Amino acid sequence: MISSRGCPYRCTFCLWPDVLYGHQFRARSPQNVVAEIEQAVRRFGHDEIYFDDDTFTIDRQRVLDICRLIRERGLEKEMEWIAQCRVDTVDREVLEAMKAAGCGYICSASSRARPRC
């Protein structure tokens, strides 16, 4: 599932923004995203969702809203999801919200100890 496109960061190891969605971040609303999740789970029987966003956690409040809506609809009991994240775009509250909403796996990468991207 794609809930947003684009990544404003210019990490040296990442080619996706240059070849796919660009560097301008554009996101679907939390309501729209969770409605699609609900349809995938309840209508089509999916039990896992993979967010193929360049960086799912760029907009902190949007992530928290998606997690809240997933829990309000009880979807966290019916599926697990995976997201790609930058480690500097999450904090304890976001990670706990993601886990409570059924996130079972986070993909992240780091290119060096000194921040450059």
Side-chain angles (χ1 to χ4, degrees):
M1 174 180 292
I2 297 173
S3 77
S4 67
R5 292 176 294 177
C7 181
Y9 302 101
R10 297 188 182 274
C11 301
T12 57
F13 61 86
C14 184
L15 62 92
W16 292 120
D18 290 328
V19 299
L20 206 55
Y21 299 124
H23 290 281
Q24 181 182 355
F25 179 71
R26 295 150 340 265
R28 294 167 52 197
S29 72
Q31 296 80 6
N32 180 271
V33 172
V34 176
E36 184 177 347
I37 292 171
E38 186 170 30
Q39 181 181 42
V41 170
R42 297 195 172 141
R43 182 172 178 193
F44 299 111
H46 293 283
D47 61 1
E48 184 174 273
I49 302 290
Y50 174 74
F51 285 101
D52 199 23
D53 302 28
D54 290 337
T55 307
F56 180 75
T57 53
I58 287 177
D59 183 338
R60 182 180 190 279
Q61 188 58 55
R62 180 177 165 273
V63 173
L64 293 173
D65 290 344
I66 288 170
C67 292
R68 177 183 50 79
L69 290 169
I70 287 172
R71 293 187 70 208
E72 283 178 3
R73 296 182 190 193
L75 293 164
E76 80 283 3
K77 299 170 189 156
E78 300 175 51
M79 58 93 190
E80 182 176 69
W81 52 279
I82 300 164
Q84 299 184 98
C85 307
R86 280 178 57 106
V87 295
D88 62 351
T89 61
V90 295
D91 57 28
R92 185 178 193 97
E93 181 184 7
V94 169
L95 293 172
E96 287 176 350
M98 290 171 69
K99 181 179 179 182
C103 181
Y105 191 74
I106 295 174
C107 303
S108 65
S110 97
S111 61
R112 57 183 61 224
R114 238 179 328 139
R116 273 206 168 159
C117 59

